[in-house]
């Protein structure tokens, strides 16, 4: 009986003992293991060298958990590791030492033996393997290396994916650095076509015979997509290029590349984005439209000359995030009802406020998606167009030819619009045009940069909008911020201290008792030990009622407007954040960070 069959029998015993699967299912797998193994190998014709692992056989058997839920590969591996006394590791790609991995084993050896170096400390090399008792592999590793070998158990899928990503990217970058050439097609494409589709290959489709720079770019983009990155930074330094990804609002350094490959990688991305690869002295903007795992993805590409070359930042725009339903934005039921009433207005002005990166664009697009229908003409004026969407008539401002927000809006009003979205009100002329459009039977939705909802009114008055006109057309204002959510896999209840209660002002709020018990994330591989996973919004919804409309007409100051709004039932950003804190959705540290409350 070989090691894999022994391992399978051991795993089945553990899973039944731990009540993960029923005894009948385990017996079925024992009987049919040969058939299941053959089906797996037949299904993986492209990878005939890999023998199915015990976990793969269990997953492919059709077995379900004792509670009726689907089995998870990582969970099975974790249970197996704990039962056999082996350390379990859920591989976090952002924390892998790529230099150690590529210098320890060859790619072929790592793939054939499903082994991945994890760390090297005090002459002990820790490697991730797929079987807990693979003594033969450990002996081979000790003979090959001058280090002692320690093993951790990880899922085969995660090990092989990491090998493909790291060795593939490293091989492409190293070969490109040796060649010191781009080997890419530099033919220019018409810049006006925003809909041109660029195919970014999946990991399994990347061919080693293709251009090394092309491969490196495909590996990089696949890696960024798989890690849920919203921004990719390529930063040239004196001796290397730093690659950083922004995930859930926080930047992570993921690669250090030879400086010689920075320019070719940037040139490849500029070609995909239909930018001028010969122009390196001026900032440029472009976009790439592609897909990942069946989802449409748009990349907004921006370059800027810096000390050691061109810095490139790529904004990743996922249509599934940008066009989510408004009930998924993070509003409370009361706020959601108010927001629905606002966007249901036949005409008027709605203002969305918040700093850059606070989710205003998602709120705007989600609202427009609700309003979209064949009977309604929706036109957007943006700088730049965030996501090309065929149900909207989208206009990109071009200041170089005199097409700014005000001029574009003036023209749009001759195009028989029902709803107009103005990307941002930046100046007095645009503000006046937006108000005139709202007064003449159009619903206008736009953004401003203010700290809270009442300040949007003050800002419009500062732009010399007559108070009587603003009071006649303003429907409401929305202020928002993005906060990171607690990781669901490592959340733990805790209690606010007296100092934290005082910091949040809970002694003055009726929610004091319910907000005392909160949650914090302890950190785990899923959240990269940050304790947070994903983002949600906190909102301040200001509906313009009779009392507020009178105050706007009188050009009341911000303090008076805020008092009236609160008396009419408006909950501020702090109250919204405290409610999410009490509901154990967000951690205290995020509330403090985003709202700038000081030390928690």
């Amino acid at each position: 009986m070989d090691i894999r069959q022994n391992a399978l029998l051991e795993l089945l015993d553990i899973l039944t003992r731990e009540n993960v699967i029923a005894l009948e299912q385990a017996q079925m797998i024992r009987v049919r293991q040969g058939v299941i193994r053959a089906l797996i190998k037949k299904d993986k014709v492209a990878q005939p060298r890999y023998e199915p692992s015990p976990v793969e056989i269990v997953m492919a058997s059709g077995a379900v958990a004792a509670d009726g839920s689907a089995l998870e590969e990582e969970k099975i591996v974790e249970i197996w590791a704990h039962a056999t006394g082996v350390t379990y590791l859920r591989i976090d790609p952002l924390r892998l030492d790529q230099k150690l991995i590529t210098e320890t084993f060859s790619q072929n050896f790592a793939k054939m033996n499903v082994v991945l170096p994890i760390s090297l400390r005090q002459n002990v090399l820790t490697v991730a393997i797929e079987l807990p008792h693979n003594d033969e592999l450990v002996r081979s590793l000790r003979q090959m290396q001058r280090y002692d070998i320690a093993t951790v158990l990880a899922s085969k899928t995660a090990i092989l994916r990491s090998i493909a990503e790291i060795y593939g990217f490293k091989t492409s970058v190293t070969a490109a650095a040796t060649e010191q050439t781009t080997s890419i097609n530099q033919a220019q494409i018409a810049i006006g076509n925003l809909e041109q589709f660029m195919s970014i290959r999946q990991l399994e489709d990347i061919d080693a015979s293709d251009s090394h720079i092309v491969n490196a770019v495909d590996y990089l983009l696949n890696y960024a997509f798989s890690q849920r990155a919203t921004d990719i930074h390529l930063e040239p330094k004196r001796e290397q290029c730093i690659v950083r990804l922004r995930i859930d609002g926080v930047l992570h350094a993921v690669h250090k590349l030879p400086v010689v490959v920075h320019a070719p990688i940037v040139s490849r991305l500029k070609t995909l984005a239909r930018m001028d690869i010969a122009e390196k002295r001026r900032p440029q903007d472009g976009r790439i439209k592609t897909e990942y795992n069946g989802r449409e993805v748009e990349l907004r590409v921006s370059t800027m000359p810096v000390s050691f070359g061109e810095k490139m930042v790529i904004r990743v725009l996922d249509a599934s995030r940008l066009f989510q339903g408004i009930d998924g934005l993070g509003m409370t039921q009361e706020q959601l009802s108010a927001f629905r009433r606002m966007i249901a207005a036949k005409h008027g002005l709605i203002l969305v406020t918040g700093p850059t990166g606070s989710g205003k664009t998602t709120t705007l697009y989600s609202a427009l998606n609700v309003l979209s229908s064949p009977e309604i003409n929706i036109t957007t004026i943006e700088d730049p167009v965030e996501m090309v969407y065929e149900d909207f008539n989208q206009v990109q401002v071009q200041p170089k030819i005199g097409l700014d927000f005000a001029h574009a809006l003036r023209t749009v009003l001759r195009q028989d619009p029902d709803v107009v979205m103005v990307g941002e009100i930046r100046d007095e002329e645009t503000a006046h045009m937006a108000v005139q459009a709202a007064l003449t039977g159009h619903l206008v939705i736009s953004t401003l940069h203010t700290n809270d909802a009442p300040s949007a009114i003050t800002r419009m008055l500062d732009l010399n909008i007559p108070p009587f006109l603003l009071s006649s057309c303003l429907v409401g204002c929305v202020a928002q911020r993005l906060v990171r959510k607690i990781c669901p896999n490592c959340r733990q209840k805790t209690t606010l201290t007296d100092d934290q209660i005082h910091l949040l002002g809970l002694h003055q709020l009726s929610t004091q008792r319910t907000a005392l018990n909160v949650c914090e994330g302890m950190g785990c591989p899923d959240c990269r030990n940050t304790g947070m996973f994903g983002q949600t919004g906190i909102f301040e919804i200001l509906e313009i009622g009779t009392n507020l409309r009178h105050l706007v007409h009188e050009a009341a100051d911000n303090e008076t407007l805020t008092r009236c709004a609160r008396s009419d039932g408006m909950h501020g950003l702090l109250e919204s954040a405290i409610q999410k804190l009490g509901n154990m959705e967000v951690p205290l540290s995020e509330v403090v960070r985003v709202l700038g409350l000081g030390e928690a």
Side-chain angles (χ1 to χ4, degrees):
M1 191 177 292
D2 65 15
I3 183 175
R4 290 182 180 276
Q5 190 168 0
N6 282 330
L8 174 61
L9 297 178
E10 177 190 58
L11 177 59
L12 292 174
D13 287 340
I14 291 169
L15 294 179
T16 53
R17 188 170 65 244
E18 297 291 332
N19 294 320
V20 177
I21 62 174
L23 180 61
E24 294 78 10
Q25 289 184 322
Q27 291 172 342
M28 179 271 293
I29 295 172
R30 286 190 183 95
V31 172
R32 300 189 68 244
Q33 60 178 290
V35 175
I36 298 171
R37 186 178 282 111
L39 289 174
I40 294 174
K41 295 181 74 171
K42 183 180 179 181
D43 191 47
K44 295 189 175 182
V45 177
Q47 298 177 342
R49 71 179 65 180
Y50 299 124
E51 283 295 323
S53 71
V55 178
E56 283 182 299
I57 292 173
V58 172
M59 295 292 294
S61 69
V64 296
D67 61 2
S69 62
L71 294 174
E72 296 180 7
E73 181 180 5
E74 289 289 348
K75 191 63 179 178
I76 292 176
V77 174
E78 183 178 8
I79 291 171
W80 195 10
H82 290 166
T84 54
V86 180
T87 301
Y88 163 72
L89 176 69
R90 182 159 189 165
I91 294 176
D92 178 2
L94 292 183
R95 296 184 179 276
L96 292 176
D97 187 336
Q98 299 181 30
K99 186 173 185 291
L100 172 68
I101 291 170
T102 54
E103 292 181 355
T104 302
F105 304 128
S106 70
Q107 183 175 4
N108 285 337
F109 180 87
K111 289 171 66 176
M112 185 172 296
N113 293 279
V114 193
V115 57
L116 185 71
I118 300 299
S119 66
L120 177 60
R121 297 187 181 91
Q122 298 179 344
N123 210 47
V124 176
L125 176 65
T126 300
V127 296
I129 58 177
E130 61 167 329
L131 300 176
H133 305 300
N134 200 340
D135 297 333
E136 183 179 344
L137 175 59
V138 172
R139 283 195 297 271
S140 298
L141 297 179
R142 284 180 179 144
Q143 291 173 0
M144 291 177 56
Q145 302 295 326
R146 60 182 183 275
Y147 310 116
D148 293 330
I149 302 296
T151 60
V152 295
L153 196 65
S155 76
K156 182 178 180 179
T157 299
I159 293 174
L160 291 179
R161 182 175 182 85
S162 297
I163 290 171
E165 288 177 340
I166 291 172
Y167 283 96
F169 184 72
K170 178 72 174 179
T171 300
S172 297
V173 169
T174 302
T178 302
E179 293 177 356
Q180 298 188 26
T181 182
T182 61
S183 300
I184 61 174
N185 178 16
Q186 298 182 356
Q188 294 301 295
I189 306 170
I191 293 177
N193 182 10
L194 296 179
E195 283 293 303
Q196 177 150 345
F197 186 86
M198 295 295 178
S199 178
I200 305 299
R201 295 166 298 171
Q202 303 289 307
L203 282 178
E204 59 271 17
D205 298 326
I206 298 177
D207 190 336
S209 64
D210 291 339
S211 164
H212 299 302
I213 285 297
V214 173
N215 285 346
V217 168
D218 286 351
Y219 276 117
L220 178 61
L221 293 179
N222 271 282
Y223 184 66
F225 298 158
S226 68
Q227 298 303 309
R228 302 180 299 109
T230 56
D231 297 89
I232 306 168
H233 292 240
L234 300 170
E235 303 172 353
K237 306 298 180 184
R238 188 184 302 276
E239 297 178 351
Q240 60 189 0
C241 165
I242 306 297
V243 180
R244 298 196 289 172
L245 303 181
R246 186 176 297 280
I247 303 170
D248 292 337
V250 177
L251 278 172
H252 301 263
V254 295
H255 290 299
K256 293 181 180 179
L257 311 179
V259 70
V260 71
V261 303
H262 174 77
I265 286 177
V266 168
S267 292
R268 167 63 178 167
L269 287 163
K270 286 168 74 172
T271 299
L272 292 176
R274 304 176 294 282
M275 299 159 69
D276 184 355
I277 64 172
E279 180 56 77
K280 304 179 187 297
R281 300 168 302 168
R282 297 177 181 175
Q284 292 190 69
D285 295 297
R287 63 195 313 127
I288 302 169
K289 184 175 181 179
T290 184
E291 69 172 10
Y292 177 73
N293 286 345
R295 301 195 317 269
E296 179 181 320
V297 178
E298 286 204 22
L299 309 177
R300 265 182 34 206
V301 185
S302 172
T303 61
M304 179 179 67
V306 293
S307 298
F308 300 108
E310 282 185 287
K311 177 182 177 180
M312 175 175 280
V313 176
I314 304 170
R315 171 66 60 88
V316 182
L317 298 167
D318 187 336
S320 64
R321 280 202 308 257
L322 208 56
F323 288 100
Q324 60 182 294
I326 60 173
D327 52 352
L329 296 175
M331 297 180 185
T332 65
Q333 286 301 315
E334 184 180 353
Q335 291 174 333
L336 190 57
S337 298
F339 188 60
R340 286 187 183 277
R341 288 193 297 270
M342 287 162 54
I343 63 176
K346 295 300 181 182
H347 57 84
L349 176 65
I350 300 172
L351 298 173
V352 181
T353 76
T356 301
S358 61
K360 298 189 300 295
T361 300
T362 300
T363 300
L364 292 175
Y365 273 74
S366 298
L368 294 180
N369 199 34
V370 171
L371 297 173
S372 180
S373 75
E375 295 79 26
I376 293 181
N377 177 14
I378 297 177
T379 304
T380 73
I381 307 170
E382 305 173 66
D383 184 20
V385 172
E386 296 279 358
M387 176 70 73
V388 177
Y389 191 59
E390 63 181 16
D391 287 357
F392 307 156
N393 299 294
Q394 296 171 283
V395 179
Q396 180 164 318
V397 301
Q398 301 180 61
K400 291 182 179 178
I401 62 172
L403 185 63
D404 56 18
F405 279 110
H407 286 81
L409 181 53
R410 185 177 292 110
T411 303
V412 163
L413 293 179
R414 304 189 192 107
Q415 294 280 314
D416 187 31
D418 297 297
V419 179
V420 181
M421 189 268 273
V422 181
E424 184 181 349
I425 294 178
R426 298 175 178 173
D427 52 51
E428 184 175 328
E429 186 179 6
T430 306
H432 277 274
M433 288 299 303
V435 168
Q436 288 299 324
L439 288 169
T440 54
H442 308 91
L443 180 63
V444 180
I445 306 176
S446 188
T447 71
L448 283 172
H449 286 286
T450 62
N451 291 328
D452 53 33
S455 296
I457 299 172
T458 309
R459 174 64 175 152
M460 291 295 285
L461 295 175
D462 290 341
L463 289 171
N464 294 320
I465 301 299
F468 72 93
L469 290 182
L470 186 61
S471 66
S472 301
C473 71
L474 190 61
V475 174
C477 306
V478 178
Q480 67 180 91
R481 301 288 189 276
L482 280 181
V483 292
R484 290 182 289 174
K485 297 188 292 186
I486 300 169
C487 174
N489 295 314
C490 62
R491 57 190 300 141
Q492 197 171 93
K493 287 186 178 180
T494 184
T495 303
L496 294 180
T497 65
D498 290 341
D499 288 342
Q500 290 169 339
I501 292 172
H502 181 76
L503 179 67
L504 295 172
L506 292 178
H507 56 286
Q508 298 175 348
L509 298 175
S510 60
T511 56
Q512 176 180 356
R513 292 185 180 276
T514 58
L516 286 175
N517 295 319
V518 298
C519 265
E520 292 285 339
M522 296 297 103
C524 69
D526 281 337
C527 62
R528 301 178 185 84
N529 293 313
T530 62
M532 288 166 273
F533 188 95
Q535 292 177 294
T536 188
I538 55 173
F539 293 86
E540 185 176 83
I541 308 291
L542 172 59
E543 271 192 289
I544 305 297
T546 303
N547 295 333
L548 268 170
R549 201 171 300 281
H550 175 72
L551 289 177
V552 174
H553 189 277
E554 298 296 324
D557 59 36
N558 193 65
E559 185 177 345
T560 304
L561 292 170
T562 302
R563 277 201 307 269
C564 180
R566 288 186 175 278
S567 67
D568 284 351
M570 182 191 78
H571 296 294
L573 291 169
L574 178 58
E575 286 93 332
S576 296
I578 288 174
Q579 185 167 350
K580 288 188 178 293
L581 183 67
N583 291 338
M584 302 184 183
E585 295 179 52
V586 301
L588 175 65
S589 57
E590 274 296 280
V591 176
V592 171
R593 179 185 70 86
V594 171
L595 298 183
L597 300 179
E599 295 296 327

